[in-house]
Amino acid sequence: MISEYSARNKTDEDIPVYSVTNEQGFCTGYFSKDVSSKDRTTYKIVQRGYFAYNPSRINVGSIDWQDCKEKVIVSPIYVVFGVDHKLNQRYLLHYLKSDIALTYIRASATGSVRDNLKFSALSEIPIKLLPMEQQEKIADTLDAVDNLISSYKKEIETLDTLVKSRFIEMFGDPLNNSMGWKMGCAENHIDLLSGFPFDSSKYTEKGVNICGRLIIMPDRIEWDDCKHLCSTDGLETYMLKANDIVMALDHPWILEGFKIAMIDEEHLPALLIQRTARIRAINVNQHYLLYRFILGDFDSHCSVTGSLVPHISAKDIRSFPIMLSPIGLQHQFSAFVQEVDKSKLAIQKSLDELETLKKALMQKYFS
């Protein structure tokens, strides 16, 4: 019911370049810095209604159908395919993002270093072929849940924007210190710690959470994906506390933004793993410090090393300039952040319930 499509942009037509990510599906901007120097005649054309995926990323759900423009182009590494009339495209997309399909995908992927799913293997994955009317009904239901999830995420994004705007209102533009605050290096105002290289053979199904770069995202931590240890004996130095700032040292920037977040009380006890930094303020406010890193052009300040695995160092963090605004003003900002966080927590609870509902519906429809 699916067939590969390999049309290339041979005439170098001016067609927008897209990528497919797990969070955003088809999106632009991923190659914004270097696409002008690439030979786009080898790029694959994706007509509206066709699917595309990166063979080495589909195991995390990075697949989507193109409904943005009449046609776009994607990197030559992508697999592009079409769907015949027996299969509803939205129904297929929801299925391919379900835990059931991802289990098949991971079992079918090959490769010693990085999993890779060939189109021939994808074609062999079973799918429940229901009458078209039922497929459309299921797709409509899951689309409705996705729309609700999207609306809650947008509410959270709006609150995040509100906090950032409040920071600039209270302290001025952090990029040029528009209010003329005295400046100081972060090393004089923080306690910095790098994580411990835990033995992965000692990981357990449940126990103490391990926090590191793989689960740290921009302003959030994906605790559901964390590893665990059964004990903290001898590891007291690496125990995290509520409001600790954690930062990824490897791959610190992703398409979504800077991988930095704050630890909450709910997920303690937790330990800090290697390639991750823990930051505690000494004589500045912790929330103020977090947003100074988020809004202060930290990426331009860093001397990023490594081509395959971009890395920032403790030196980058210690040398980062901090605006030394009045501590009372910092505490006012912190109080504002904590009030906003209460609203975000309520929205996040509803969002989590919707995510649970979606998983249950997918299990019901596709198992």
Side-chain angles (χ1 to χ4, degrees), residues 145 148-152 349-359:
V145 175
L148 282 172
I149 288 172
S150 178
S151 68
Y152 280 128
K349 183 179 179 182
S350 298
L351 182 58
D352 291 343
E353 290 171 353
L354 277 173
E355 295 279 10
T356 301
L357 171 63
K358 182 181 175 181
K359 282 183 178 291

Side-chain angles (χ1 to χ4, degrees), residues 48-203:
R48 188 187 296 275
Y50 281 68
F51 285 71
Y53 71 92
N54 183 332
S56 64
R57 294 289 295 163
I58 193 175
N59 63 327
V60 292
S62 297
I63 188 169
D64 198 14
W65 74 303
Q66 202 278 101
D67 195 32
C68 307
K69 296 181 179 293
E70 283 308 307
K71 59 182 175 181
V72 304
I73 55 175
V74 294
S75 166
I77 66 172
Y78 278 79
V79 172
V80 181
F81 65 90
V83 180
D84 75 14
H85 66 279
K86 297 178 184 178
L87 206 54
N88 179 279
Q89 292 151 318
R90 293 178 298 125
Y91 174 81
L92 174 60
L93 180 63
H94 284 298
Y95 173 67
L96 290 174
K97 289 183 174 290
S98 71
D99 288 343
I100 294 166
L102 287 175
T103 299
Y104 282 120
I105 287 169
R106 288 166 185 147
S108 303
T110 60
S112 57
V113 177
R114 177 177 289 185
D115 287 342
N116 191 293
L117 187 77
K118 295 180 179 179
F119 177 75
S120 57
L122 177 67
S123 300
E124 294 298 320
I125 292 174
I127 185 171
K128 187 188 291 184
L129 187 59
L130 300 170
M132 182 58 72
E133 184 178 342
Q134 284 184 257
Q135 292 183 41
E136 291 174 352
K137 186 175 180 180
I138 288 171
D140 288 343
T141 300
L142 293 173
D143 281 349
V145 175
D146 278 346
N147 288 338
L148 282 172
I149 288 172
S150 178
S151 68
Y152 280 128
K153 287 182 176 179
K154 286 179 180 177
E155 286 186 45
I156 291 175
E157 289 173 6
T158 299
L159 290 174
D160 288 337
T161 301
L162 177 64
V163 171
K164 293 173 182 177
S165 298
R166 182 62 172 159
F167 183 97
I168 293 172
E169 177 187 331
M170 294 180 70
F171 305 107
D173 186 348
L175 299 183
N176 57 21
N177 190 17
S178 59
M179 291 190 176
W181 304 113
K182 182 181 177 182
M183 303 294 292
C185 282
E187 65 181 343
N188 298 318
H189 306 280
I190 65 170
D191 174 21
L192 180 65
L193 177 71
S194 293
F196 184 79
F198 297 110
D199 182 353
S200 60
S201 67
K202 296 182 179 179
Y203 289 164

Side-chain angles (χ1 to χ4, degrees), residues 219-360:
D219 202 26
R220 73 181 190 280
I221 300 172
E222 297 183 344
W223 291 106
D224 289 344
D225 298 326
C226 78
K227 306 297 183 182
H228 305 90
L229 281 182
C230 63
S231 171
T232 62
D233 290 348
L235 299 169
E236 289 76 13
T237 300
Y238 301 95
M239 293 288 291
L240 293 166
K241 296 180 180 179
N243 293 337
D244 275 348
I245 297 169
V246 286
M247 179 191 302
L249 296 179
D250 285 355
H251 287 298
W253 287 277
I254 56 175
L255 192 61
E256 189 182 340
F258 179 29
K259 295 175 69 172
I260 185 172
M262 185 172 277
I263 300 293
D264 59 62
E265 187 81 43
E266 179 185 354
H267 294 96
L268 297 178
L271 289 160
L272 186 75
I273 197 171
Q274 64 180 345
R275 298 178 181 176
T276 312
R278 184 269 288 150
I279 304 170
R280 287 178 188 160
I282 296 174
N283 52 7
V284 292
N285 181 274
Q286 195 78 350
H287 286 103
Y288 172 79
L289 184 63
L290 172 66
Y291 281 90
R292 171 59 191 169
F293 275 104
I294 292 174
L295 299 174
D297 204 23
F298 183 64
D299 56 339
S300 296
H301 166 79
C302 293
S303 300
V304 180
T305 59
S307 56
L308 295 177
V309 183
H311 179 84
I312 58 176
S313 67
K315 181 181 178 182
D316 292 322
I317 299 171
R318 291 193 177 99
S319 61
F320 187 58
I322 302 295
M323 299 185 302
L324 302 179
S325 53
I327 192 66
L329 201 61
Q330 295 180 30
H331 290 332
Q332 287 180 35
F333 174 73
S334 178
F336 177 79
V337 173
Q338 291 176 70
E339 285 301 311
V340 171
D341 281 348
K342 290 178 183 177
S343 298
K344 285 174 63 177
L345 188 62
I347 297 170
Q348 187 63 51
K349 183 179 179 182
S350 298
L351 182 58
D352 291 343
E353 290 171 353
L354 277 173
E355 295 279 10
T356 301
L357 171 63
K358 182 181 175 181
K359 282 183 178 291

